[in-house]
């Protein structure tokens, strides 16, 4: 394959990248890192890449109790918001994170009165 | 330097740069990975479904026009060990597959032979640096036997948050004693956003490649 074709491949790949995400990654990051009304904040070891975030997000979103989830790679925490009148206990949260391949350091319940707290 | 300038540098590096896609073969229970890669004279496709946190099954197809064979068969993969650290992660994976290889496809339509491969892969990464070593052996009766090794070192020009575009500039070194040019050095650019990962590069020998992986 010629160098010209290689250049075309590289150019095609970069063409799929949204320009704002290239030019202003900090703004995109800030938007994504915006806090949610977390019912549980899980400190996790091993969160180093977007793949890690994907694995944890998809594992949590399979649970009917989960309303929203946010992974913060910088703070190394997973924030989980439960649907009204639902919750997941610490053991379940720990199992979801562990099965996704990561290690739970601690679990906090900032709004423990909101959804009934840990069960 | 602005992130856009880093992207331009990474794209330029890719334009100079082979590799196959170095996906994590084991994801999370219920997770899937589909991959297609074209590298100079070979094309590989793979589908992997993770059953447990440490075990996955899948299907591997490979067409090697340079050596005139193709391979098709089921595969398994495992996570042998993972180290989760506060700011880094290390892994040891293994992969194996067995199936059928067809020789001399172009002239005779293929002579089926049993074939198998096995590989081991170790990696370590934090949000700024990435290293990887992979060794892979392939055997197909009376057709081909190869053993290749690969080492990678990557740098992220900027640290991205979850959901943002992740960019890596990677230097890859391949060694295959059976190849006409056993040692190959390749600059590679990797873009990762959401569940899609794309890589492109051209080796200093002029062999180009591109790959796309989708996690779902």
């Amino acid at each position: 394959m010629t160098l010209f074709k290689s250049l075309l491949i590289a150019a095609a790949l970069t063409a799929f990248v949204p320009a704002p995400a290239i030019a202003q990654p900090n703004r995109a990051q800030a938007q994504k890192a915006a806090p949610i009304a977390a019912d549980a904040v899980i400190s996790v070891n091993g969160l180093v890449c977007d793949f890690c975030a994907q694995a944890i997000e998809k594992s949590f979103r399979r649970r009917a109790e989960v309303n929203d989830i946010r992974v913060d790679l910088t703070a190394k925490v997973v924030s989980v918001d439960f649907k009204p009148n639902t919750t997941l206990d610490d053991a379940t949260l720990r199992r979801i994170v562990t099965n996704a391949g990561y290690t739970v350091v601690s679990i906090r319940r900032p709004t423990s009165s909101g959804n009934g707290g840990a069960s | 330097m602005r992130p856009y300038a880093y992207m331009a540098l990474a794209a330029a590096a890719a334009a100079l740069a082979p590799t196959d896609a170095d996906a994590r073969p084991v994801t999370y229970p219920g997770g899937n990975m589909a991959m297609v890669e074209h590298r100079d004279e070979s094309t590989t496709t793979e589908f992997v479904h993770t059953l447990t946190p440490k075990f996955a099954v899948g299907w591997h197809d490979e067409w090697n026009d340079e050596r005139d064979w193709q391979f098709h068969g089921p595969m398994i993969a495992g996570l042998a060990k993972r180290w989760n650290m506060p700011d880094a992660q290390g892994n040891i994976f293994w992969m194996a597959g067995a199936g059928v290889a067809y020789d001399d496809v172009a002239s005779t339509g293929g002579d089926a032979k049993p074939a198998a491969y096995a590989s081991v892969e170790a990696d370590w990464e934090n949000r700024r640096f990435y290293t990887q070593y992979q060794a892979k052996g392939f055997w197909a009766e009376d057709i081909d036997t190869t053993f290749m090794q690969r080492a990678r070192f990557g740098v992220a020009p900027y640290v991205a948050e979850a959901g943002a575009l992740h960019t890596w500039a990677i230097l890859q070194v391949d060694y295959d004693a059976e190849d006409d040019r056993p040692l190959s050095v390749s600059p590679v650019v990797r873009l990762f956003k959401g569940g899609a990962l794309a890589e492109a590069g051209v080796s200093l020998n002029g062999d180009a490649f591109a790959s796309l992986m989708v996690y779902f």
Side-chain angles (χ1 to χ4, degrees):
Chain A
M1 189 177 289
T2 66
L3 184 61
F4 181 70
K5 287 182 179 176
S6 305
L7 280 165
L8 282 179
I9 291 171
L13 283 171
T14 55
F16 284 111
V17 180
I22 297 175
Q24 300 175 4
N26 291 336
R27 189 175 70 180
Q29 291 167 29
Q31 290 172 344
K32 189 67 179 179
I36 62 173
D39 296 312
V41 178
I42 311 165
S43 180
V44 178
N45 273 356
L47 284 178
V48 294
C49 61
D50 207 28
F51 174 84
C52 311
Q54 288 281 320
I56 287 184
E57 282 191 18
K58 290 185 177 179
S59 296
F60 270 100
R61 290 193 188 281
R62 290 177 178 169
R63 298 297 304 233
E65 298 89 344
V66 174
N67 179 54
D68 198 5
I69 176 173
R70 184 65 46 82
V71 178
D72 187 330
L73 296 177
T74 302
K76 292 165 276 188
V77 298
V78 177
S79 301
V80 186
D81 178 44
F82 299 120
K83 291 176 181 172
N85 301 315
T86 67
T87 190
L88 292 172
D89 61 25
D90 284 6
T92 303
L93 294 177
R94 194 175 293 273
R95 187 169 64 248
I96 293 171
V97 173
T98 302
N99 282 347
Y102 302 89
T103 304
V104 173
V105 177
S106 65
I107 300 174
R108 292 188 295 112
R109 302 276 181 168
T111 58
S112 58
S113 60
N115 291 323
S119 57
Chain B
M1 189 180 290
R2 303 291 300 170
Y4 189 81
Y6 281 117
M7 275 298 300
L9 280 178
L16 293 173
T19 174
D20 65 2
D22 291 280
R24 291 185 174 185
V26 179
T27 55
Y28 52 90
N32 300 294
M33 188 276 290
M35 180 271 287
V36 58
E37 170 201 311
H38 182 74
R39 174 179 174 176
D40 198 35
E41 295 188 71
S42 70
T43 301
T44 303
T45 63
E46 198 169 87
F47 175 80
V48 181
H49 176 72
T50 298
L51 295 175
T52 75
K54 295 188 174 183
F55 185 72
V57 297
W59 187 268
H60 182 96
D61 297 297
E62 190 168 346
W63 295 263
N64 191 318
D65 292 337
E66 183 180 11
R67 299 191 185 191
D68 200 16
W69 56 256
Q70 55 181 266
F71 169 84
H72 309 281
M75 60 164 288
I76 54 176
L79 171 63
K81 180 68 178 175
R82 169 167 289 171
W83 292 270
N84 284 320
M85 295 159 272
D87 297 305
Q89 185 186 85
N91 299 286
I92 298 176
F93 293 102
W94 59 267
M95 286 147 279
V100 179
Y102 297 89
D103 191 14
D104 200 20
V105 177
S107 58
T108 68
D111 182 14
K113 299 286 184 180
Y117 71 89
S119 71
V120 61
E121 174 186 316
D123 65 60
W124 177 95
E125 68 177 299
N126 61 20
R127 298 180 69 191
R128 179 68 76 175
F129 300 105
Y130 158 79
T131 60
Q132 182 189 49
Y133 171 78
Q134 181 182 23
K136 179 181 180 181
F138 174 82
W139 168 85
E141 187 179 89
D142 299 330
I143 295 176
D144 202 0
T145 301
T146 63
F147 178 73
M148 60 78 67
Q149 298 177 81
R150 167 173 299 159
R152 286 181 140 196
F153 177 74
V155 178
Y158 59 90
V159 174
E161 191 47 75
L165 174 70
H166 292 241
T167 304
W168 289 87
I170 298 171
L171 186 67
Q172 175 174 306
V173 179
D174 288 282
Y175 182 77
D176 182 350
E178 302 297 319
D179 202 281
D180 294 339
R181 291 170 294 197
L183 193 65
S184 172
V185 178
S186 310
V188 175
V189 63
R190 166 187 285 188
L191 303 175
F192 190 12
K193 181 173 171 57
L197 187 156
E199 291 188 343
V202 181
S203 77
L204 301 182
N205 298 330
D207 297 328
F209 91 100
S211 69
L212 179 65
M213 279 165 277
V214 179
Y215 298 93
F216 57 99

